[in-house]
Amino acid sequence: MEESIIISLVISLVLTIIIEIIFAVFVGVREKWDLALLCLVNVLTNPFVVFIYNLTTYYHIWNTHLTVLVLEIATILVEAYYYRTYGRNFRHPLLFSFGANAFSYMTGIILSLL
Amino acid sequence: MRFRLRSRIINTILLGLILIIISKGIAHADVIWTPNDDFYLNNAEQCDTLGRSFTANSTDGSITLWKSPISKTKIATYENGTLFYVSVTFTDEKDETWGVIEIDGKTGWTKMKDLLLVYDNISFSEDHEKEFQEYNGEFDNYVIIDPIILWTYPGSGEIRSKLSKVDDKQIPFESTYTDPDGSQWGYIPYYYSHKGWVCLNDPTNENLPVNKGTVTTTISPLQGDIQDNILSPDIDANNHMSSVLMLLAIAIAVLITVTGIIIRVVWKKNKKTY
């Protein structure tokens, strides 16, 4: 199980970064500093989110769906803050953060269905 | 340019929202990879944690691992006698109980009625609970020089770990038990990630006689309400798991801190010069 969690953390982070970079490029955020910031911001948020999600799922601590909702909202807000504070070309940081996370969430659903 | 960017973002978000609304099932926030088992993750709330070891014990001579309790896809078959660890169970509409097994890199489900429970500390506790006595400081004056041996249960022959004293506090024994040979044992529920039974008469002897218990009555194969056989959090795997999870939590906390510092230092500097 512990190996599964570690693998889950790594794969989630890598996939999330790749997908959010694709989203960023698509919406016109292409500057290297901003893309590098995007990567680091996801390092900041994604492992924590995945870890808590795995814990609540395995131990039935809280309702899984509610947990994900709370985690996602927190992630969007935290990432938006970093984009606004440290980004160069994030014209609408909150919108961008919401879009990027929605896009990766949607992709995650599609991947899980495959 | 600004209008094009905004409209792109809005269109993408709308597309995402539509897909979210029409999708069903579990949430995979931020591409959360869940390698354990899809069926379990989709039905986590109907599953029960078990965390015990079993051997294959089917009347056919072998057991089959299926992709899920409702799937006809075979993952693998294993001969009787193969040892498994069942982490979680699920009871279907026909009241059939299934257990999920991860073995040789494969994950699958099998019927619990085809498994035989391996006698463990939980079984020992069920058999001898009435013989347990409260710990009255019998070991408090013992000075640990060589590491003391923690066993799975008295007479198991299975060493769980070796314990050296780590602080000045007394080791927190929970209860004691006197075996048929007259040896007294003390149970440590948790002590710096260690747990198990110590032979108070001979705590450092690694060659204590084996007097393994056998599964009897209704547990061969597993019958009845599995919930009755589940003890509290006091299970081997959960204890080890707690240590690993603690380390992971610390590692993630360090990662977050370092990343946050890097962003603040490098990006703030960069933004000033931009």
Side-chain angles (χ1 to χ4, degrees):
Chain A
M1 174 67 188
E2 51 268 27
E3 271 181 25
S4 300
I5 292 181
I6 294 169
I7 293 169
S8 162
L9 289 170
V10 172
I11 293 177
S12 290
L13 178 61
V14 170
L15 279 177
T16 300
I17 287 174
I18 291 170
I19 289 164
E20 293 204 7
I21 285 178
I22 292 170
F23 174 83
V25 169
F26 176 72
V27 298
V29 175
R30 293 175 190 175
E31 192 163 332
K32 286 176 191 171
W33 277 104
D34 286 336
L35 292 177
L37 176 64
L38 183 149
C39 294
L40 286 184
V41 162
N42 276 284
V43 171
L44 211 59
T45 58
N46 185 265
F48 176 75
V49 166
V50 174
F51 183 66
I52 299 296
Y53 174 79
N54 274 309
L55 274 186
T56 57
T57 302
Y58 189 74
Y59 289 109
H60 306 294
I61 300 170
W62 303 305
N63 178 277
T64 308
H65 302 300
L66 191 61
T67 303
V68 169
L69 183 65
V70 169
L71 287 173
E72 280 296 324
I73 291 171
T75 301
I76 289 166
L77 294 174
V78 167
E79 291 186 0
Y81 165 78
Y82 276 92
Y83 295 143
R84 183 173 71 89
T85 308
Y86 302 105
R88 285 183 182 178
N89 198 26
F90 293 95
R91 296 179 196 274
H92 305 282
L94 186 59
L95 208 57
F96 176 85
S97 178
F98 181 80
N101 281 282
F103 185 66
S104 68
Y105 177 97
M106 172 187 76
T107 308
I109 290 173
I110 292 169
L111 286 177
S112 72
L113 292 174
L114 291 175
Chain B
M1 182 67 181
R2 191 183 277 188
F3 175 75
R4 280 180 67 192
L5 172 62
R6 192 185 293 181
S7 68
R8 273 190 187 176
I9 292 176
I10 291 170
N11 287 342
T12 308
I13 291 169
L14 281 174
L15 180 63
L17 278 172
I18 289 166
L19 281 168
I20 289 167
I21 288 166
I22 65 175
S23 70
K24 58 165 185 171
I26 59 168
H28 281 283
D30 277 6
V31 197
I32 292 173
W33 187 267
T34 50
N36 284 335
D37 181 74
D38 290 337
F39 181 85
Y40 165 66
L41 291 163
N42 281 319
N43 298 278
E45 287 171 5
Q46 286 86 49
C47 291
D48 299 302
T49 304
L50 179 59
R52 298 181 79 176
S53 296
F54 295 79
T55 54
N57 190 47
S58 168
T59 50
D60 299 331
S62 64
I63 64 119
T64 303
L65 277 195
W66 303 92
K67 190 175 177 183
S68 79
I70 56 171
S71 169
K72 290 182 182 168
T73 305
K74 235 185 244 190
I75 302 290
T77 55
Y78 292 93
E79 299 292 314
N80 276 356
T82 308
L83 183 65
F84 301 111
Y85 177 80
V86 177
S87 53
V88 158
T89 60
F90 169 83
T91 303
D92 64 20
E93 290 161 354
K94 297 175 194 170
D95 245 1
E96 183 79 65
T97 304
W98 297 75
V100 71
I101 291 165
E102 293 174 282
I103 184 170
D104 299 333
K106 302 176 200 132
T107 304
W109 293 79
T110 196
K111 293 179 183 176
M112 292 303 294
K113 66 175 187 187
D114 292 333
L115 301 178
L116 180 66
L117 180 66
V118 172
Y119 196 89
D120 55 13
N121 184 44
I122 297 172
S123 310
F124 178 83
S125 298
E126 287 167 354
D127 285 351
H128 299 279
E129 199 178 1
K130 290 178 185 171
E131 299 164 65
F132 292 171
Q133 305 284 326
E134 204 178 306
Y135 177 72
N136 289 317
E138 290 90 333
F139 204 65
D140 286 353
N141 295 327
Y142 183 87
V143 176
I144 297 178
I145 300 168
D146 296 323
I148 60 174
I149 310 299
L150 271 67
W151 303 85
T152 309
Y153 58 86
S156 65
E158 294 165 24
I159 295 175
R160 287 206 56 167
S161 62
K162 296 180 185 178
L163 174 63
S164 303
K165 194 83 179 292
V166 294
D167 61 25
D168 292 331
K169 295 177 189 169
Q170 295 297 340
I171 295 175
F173 286 98
E174 184 180 77
S175 51
T176 61
Y177 163 78
T178 305
D179 70 16
D181 296 330
S183 294
Q184 195 179 32
W185 296 75
Y187 181 67
I188 302 172
Y190 183 82
Y191 182 69
Y192 289 98
S193 81
H194 292 272
K195 67 181 267 187
W197 289 90
V198 175
C199 181
L200 303 181
N201 301 107
D202 200 356
T204 60
N205 187 353
E206 293 187 31
N207 301 306
L208 292 176
V210 176
N211 182 19
K212 269 185 187 257
T214 54
V215 173
T216 58
T217 65
T218 61
I219 310 183
S220 173
L222 193 66
Q223 293 174 8
D225 187 356
I226 293 174
Q227 290 291 340
D228 291 341
N229 294 326
I230 300 173
L231 278 190
S232 59
D234 229 10
I235 332 177
D236 297 0
N238 278 351
N239 200 40
H240 170 67
M241 180 65 134
S242 298
S243 309
V244 174
L245 288 177
M246 184 65 72
L247 283 170
L248 259 178
I250 293 168
I252 290 171
V254 169
L255 181 67
I256 289 172
T257 307
V258 169
T259 306
I261 291 169
I262 290 172
I263 293 174
R264 277 178 188 275
V265 170
V266 177
W267 265 262
K268 197 167 187 176
K269 203 175 171 180
N270 189 265
K271 198 162 182 183
K272 278 182 186 169
T273 58
Y274 178 60

